[in-house]
């Protein structure tokens, strides 16, 4: 690293330390949008300092209970509505009877003095008080009906007022042998409730970049996701549109900057244009859910997707991945993933999740060459310790032979949240090793990082990377990032 780059890096580190010191010295407590954090975060449910995310099974049970409560309210509303109709009908009948002449025998006979005869007098009953009482009861029922309708209007989602805007962003500094630069990105997320069981979600990626052709700086905008989620059954959610590729764990759950504990991605899980093995998103139809079993926290989850699949920049071995929309060959790719959490939340062993994924399809324009990928992933958490990893093996048929690619990573971190010191309890050191092999090139990378969590959704990250090709020289890199979610 050159002297100028080193000076810049040290300056930024000092700025980072002073920022933390200022925040700590003034005893500032950043305000977190807890509702959005709990909705978006994919964190350990056993940790107490960060908002716990319910498992899919628990979420289903909560929704079932809420739906049951709303159904009870709807039944009450129907009953009261029927009661109002009955009372109105009764009032109409009584009003009609009042209009007709009605004779009722007097309780006592009256003598006619002139004829010395006994006559029966007609006495009209007091109808007005009875009608007023009936009307008051109807008004009371109508008011209660209106209150229930208002309550239901506020509980049941409607498209006109069930809209949530969230997202995340970053500020970043990178220093490497290729140069050093400041960068920034912003990812707005839109959630729109159409019906209680129908949701639209979309995400944009807006980042600073440089045009490879013209060499000019530009603002790049990409459509990350745009999908409709239909909760067809408590154990089946149907997704249609552009979604994150349901292969492995990192792409769907870990690549967001405020969740990824390091600034960089593992080598095999860099985005396609950066040299990774898979595209981060795909277009198609997907069914997924989680099925609870045993004690609380024991869950079996699955994903089955039919999509356009991957394509590549050329037929050459080692060619980079490319987007595939619209589909270049009309053949669809099948992606399946199954995961399991075998231990309950109360387990003294800790939390373990294991998953396996398979992708199979055609990648070329003629639809004659096969593409197959398999992968396994795991995550183990116990108190402040977090240990995770993922392995991917990919084989692509080409006119020049079989294009074999593979990669894996393992990452370990330990949060100091149990230390009773305001500054130290927000620190979390991380180490990751990742490797990738393709086209005869063997790449290795060591990454050491230190995070300072200002809030559960705002984090300062520092990372040092040491990378090399087999039998080649080491290259060093330094990265700083402020990542936040809202």
């Amino acid at each position: 690293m050159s002297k100028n780059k080193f000076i810049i890096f040290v300056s930024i580190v000092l700025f980072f330390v002073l920022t933390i010191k200022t925040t700590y010295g003034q005893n500032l407590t950043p305000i977190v949008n807890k509702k959005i954090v709990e909705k978006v975060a994919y964190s350990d449910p056993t940790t107490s300092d960060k908002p716990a995310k319910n498992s899919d099974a628990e979420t289903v049970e909560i929704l079932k209970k809420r739906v049951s409560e709303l159904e009870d309210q709807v039944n009450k509303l129907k009953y009261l509505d029927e009661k109002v109709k009955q009372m109105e009908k009764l009032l109409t009948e009584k009003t009609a009877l009042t209009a007709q002449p009605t004779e009722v025998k007097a309780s006592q006979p009256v003598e006619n003095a002139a004829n010395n005869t006994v006559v029966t007098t007609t006495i009209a009953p007091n109808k007005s008080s009875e009608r007023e009482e009936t009307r008051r009861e109807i008004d009371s029922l109508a008011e209660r009906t209106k209150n229930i309708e208002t309550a239901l209007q506020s509980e049941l989602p409607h498209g006109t007022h069930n809209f949530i805007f969230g997202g995340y962003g970053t500020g970043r500094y990178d220093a490497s042998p290729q140069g050093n630069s400041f960068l920034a990105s912003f990812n707005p997320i839109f959630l729109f409730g159409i019906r209680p069981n129908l949701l639209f979600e979309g995400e944009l990626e807006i980042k600073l970049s440089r045009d490879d052709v013209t060499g000019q700086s530009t603002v790049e905008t990409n459509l990350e996701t745009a999908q409709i989620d239909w909760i067809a059954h408590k154990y089946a959610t149907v997704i249609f549109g552009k979604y994150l590729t349901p292969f492995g764990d990192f792409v769907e759950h870990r690549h967001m900057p405020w969740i990824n504990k390091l600034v960089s991605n593992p080598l095999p899980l860099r985005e396609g244009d950066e040299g990774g093995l898979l595209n981060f998103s795909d277009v198609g139809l997907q069914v997924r859910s989680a099925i609870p079993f045993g004690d609380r926290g024991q869950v079996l989850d699955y994903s089955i997707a039919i999509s356009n699949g991957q394509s590549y920049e050329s037929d050459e071995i080692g060619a980079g991945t490319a987007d595939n929309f619209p589909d270049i060959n009309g053949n669809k790719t099948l992606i399946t993933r199954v995961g399991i959490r075998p231990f309950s939340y109360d387990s003294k062993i800790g939390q373990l999740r294991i998953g396996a994924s398979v992708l199979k399809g055609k990648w070329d324009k003629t639809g004659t060459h096969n593409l197959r990928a398999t992968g396994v992933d795991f995550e183990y958490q116990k108190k402040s310790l977090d240990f995770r990893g993922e392995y991917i093996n990919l084989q692509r048929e080409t006119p020049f032979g079989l294009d074999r690619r593979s990669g894996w990573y393992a990452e370990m971190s330990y949060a100091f949240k149990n230390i009773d010191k305001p500054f130290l309890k927000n620190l979390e050191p991380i180490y990751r090793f990742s490797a990738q092999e393709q086209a005869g090139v063997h790449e290795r990378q060591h990454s050491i990082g230190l995070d300072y969590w200002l809030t559960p959704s705002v984090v300062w990250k520092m990372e040092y990377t040491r990378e090399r090709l087999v039998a080649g020289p080491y290259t060093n890199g330094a990265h700083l990032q402020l990542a936040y979610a809202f």
Side-chain angles (χ1 to χ4, degrees):
M1 193 182 301
S2 66
K3 183 176 180 181
N4 290 337
K5 295 178 183 177
F6 178 77
I7 293 174
I8 294 174
F9 178 70
V10 171
S11 301
I12 294 176
V13 172
L14 290 175
F15 171 75
F16 164 73
V17 174
L18 290 174
T19 301
I20 295 175
K21 183 176 180 181
T22 302
T23 302
Y24 170 62
Q26 295 179 351
N27 195 24
L28 297 178
T29 304
I31 300 174
V32 183
N33 189 330
K34 185 176 180 182
K35 183 175 181 181
I36 299 299
V37 170
E38 292 178 349
K39 185 176 184 64
V40 181
Y42 185 84
S43 59
D44 176 16
T46 63
T47 57
S48 58
D49 290 354
K50 297 181 184 179
K53 175 184 181 294
N54 289 327
S55 66
D56 292 343
E58 290 180 299
T59 303
V60 168
E61 292 300 322
I62 293 172
L63 292 176
K64 285 171 59 180
K65 182 178 179 181
R66 190 59 185 149
V67 168
S68 177
E69 293 174 355
L70 293 176
E71 287 177 347
D72 291 341
Q73 291 181 346
V74 170
N75 291 333
K76 290 179 182 179
L77 177 61
K78 291 180 180 178
Y79 168 78
L80 293 175
D81 184 62
E82 185 65 26
K83 190 71 174 177
V84 169
K85 291 180 180 179
Q86 292 177 1
M87 297 300 293
E88 289 179 341
K89 182 179 180 181
L90 179 62
L91 178 63
T92 302
E93 292 176 351
K94 290 188 176 183
T95 303
L97 290 174
T98 305
Q100 298 177 359
T102 305
E103 290 189 348
V104 181
K105 290 185 177 180
S107 57
Q108 297 179 352
V110 179
E111 292 187 359
N112 189 322
N115 300 324
N116 194 23
T117 59
V118 178
V119 298
T120 301
T121 59
T122 59
I123 303 175
N126 188 1
K127 299 290 185 180
S128 60
S129 60
E130 189 175 337
R131 287 198 300 270
E132 290 175 1
E133 183 178 352
T134 302
R135 173 51 63 186
R136 283 196 298 270
E137 186 174 353
I138 291 175
D139 291 342
S140 176
L141 290 173
E143 182 67 23
R144 290 171 60 188
T145 301
K146 183 179 179 181
N147 292 338
I148 292 177
E149 288 177 337
T150 302
L152 289 175
Q153 292 271 346
S154 64
E155 294 291 343
L156 294 176
H158 294 279
T160 56
H161 63 271
N162 192 38
F163 176 80
I164 297 176
F165 173 73
Y168 55 91
T170 66
R172 177 170 171 172
Y173 172 78
D174 292 326
S176 68
Q178 288 74 35
N180 69 90
S181 178
F182 291 99
L183 297 170
S185 65
F186 174 57
N187 288 56
I189 298 175
F190 307 91
L191 302 173
F192 181 70
I194 303 171
R195 296 174 61 90
N197 64 340
L198 196 62
L199 170 73
F200 169 80
E201 55 178 304
E203 177 183 344
L204 296 175
E205 180 186 40
I206 306 170
K207 63 181 181 180
L208 304 178
S209 64
R210 185 173 297 278
D211 191 291
D212 294 334
V213 178
T214 64
Q216 298 295 319
S217 298
T218 182
V219 176
E220 182 180 342
T221 302
N222 297 313
L223 179 64
E224 289 286 282
T225 62
Q227 63 189 62
I228 291 287
D229 301 346
W230 172 42
I231 304 174
H233 186 268
K234 64 180 180 179
Y235 297 140
T237 298
V238 180
I239 299 174
F240 182 64
K242 187 181 183 190
Y243 45 73
L244 293 175
T245 304
F247 188 101
D249 171 65
F250 187 87
V251 171
E252 281 196 303
H253 302 136
R254 302 291 171 185
H255 83 276
M256 289 72 73
W258 68 283
I259 297 178
N260 181 13
K261 295 182 180 181
L262 289 168
V263 180
S264 63
N265 288 359
L267 292 178
L269 291 161
R270 293 170 292 183
E271 296 204 40
D273 58 350
E274 298 174 354
L277 298 181
L278 296 171
N279 287 339
F280 271 33
S281 60
D282 210 336
V283 181
L285 185 67
Q286 180 183 168
V287 180
R288 65 185 301 144
S289 189
I291 303 173
F293 67 93
D295 296 330
R296 181 173 175 266
Q298 294 178 299
V299 176
L300 175 71
D301 62 86
Y302 72 91
S303 300
I304 303 174
I306 301 175
S307 64
N308 288 348
Q310 292 206 165
S311 64
Y312 290 83
E313 295 175 347
S314 69
D315 295 342
E316 297 179 359
I317 294 178
T321 61
D323 292 331
N324 188 22
F325 22 87
D327 197 341
I328 61 173
N329 55 30
N331 290 280
K332 296 297 174 272
T333 294
L334 177 65
I335 307 173
T336 58
R337 183 184 182 277
V338 177
I340 186 172
R341 290 183 178 269
F343 303 144
S344 68
Y345 290 153
D346 300 329
S347 174
K348 295 181 180 180
I349 301 175
Q351 295 298 304
L352 176 66
R353 180 192 48 75
I354 303 172
S357 307
V358 176
L359 180 151
K360 187 175 182 180
K362 310 284 187 180
W363 67 268
D364 60 326
K365 292 183 179 180
T366 60
T368 57
H369 293 96
N370 293 318
L371 173 69
R372 180 181 177 86
T374 56
V376 293
D377 59 88
F378 77 93
E379 173 189 6
Y380 175 75
Q381 294 174 324
K382 186 175 182 181
K383 296 182 179 179
S384 299
L385 176 67
D386 185 289
F387 181 45
R388 68 181 69 250
E390 190 165 342
Y391 171 79
I392 301 173
N393 182 280
L394 185 145
Q395 296 182 4
R396 180 178 71 116
E397 295 178 355
T398 74
F400 309 100
L402 191 61
D403 186 359
R404 299 178 183 271
R405 311 181 184 198
S406 64
W408 65 279
Y409 84 93
E411 177 183 296
M412 181 178 291
S413 63
Y414 188 88
F416 293 157
K417 60 185 179 181
N418 294 324
I419 298 178
D420 190 20
K421 297 293 182 182
F423 176 78
L424 293 178
K425 72 177 184 179
N426 295 329
L427 292 175
E428 185 174 14
I430 309 103
Y431 171 75
R432 184 185 69 206
F433 177 81
S434 61
Q436 180 170 314
E437 300 182 10
Q438 63 178 1
V441 177
H442 308 276
E443 194 172 4
R444 303 289 185 267
Q445 184 188 72
H446 299 269
S447 300
I448 301 174
L450 181 65
D451 292 353
Y452 183 85
W453 294 90
L454 298 170
T455 77
S457 61
V458 181
V459 57
W460 271 105
K461 297 189 285 186
M462 296 187 294
E463 179 184 354
Y464 167 75
T465 59
R466 187 166 175 81
E467 180 180 343
R468 74 166 182 174
L469 303 178
V470 172
Y474 276 102
T475 59
N476 301 320
H479 312 276
L480 295 176
Q481 186 181 67
L482 174 64
Y484 55 90
F486 58 91

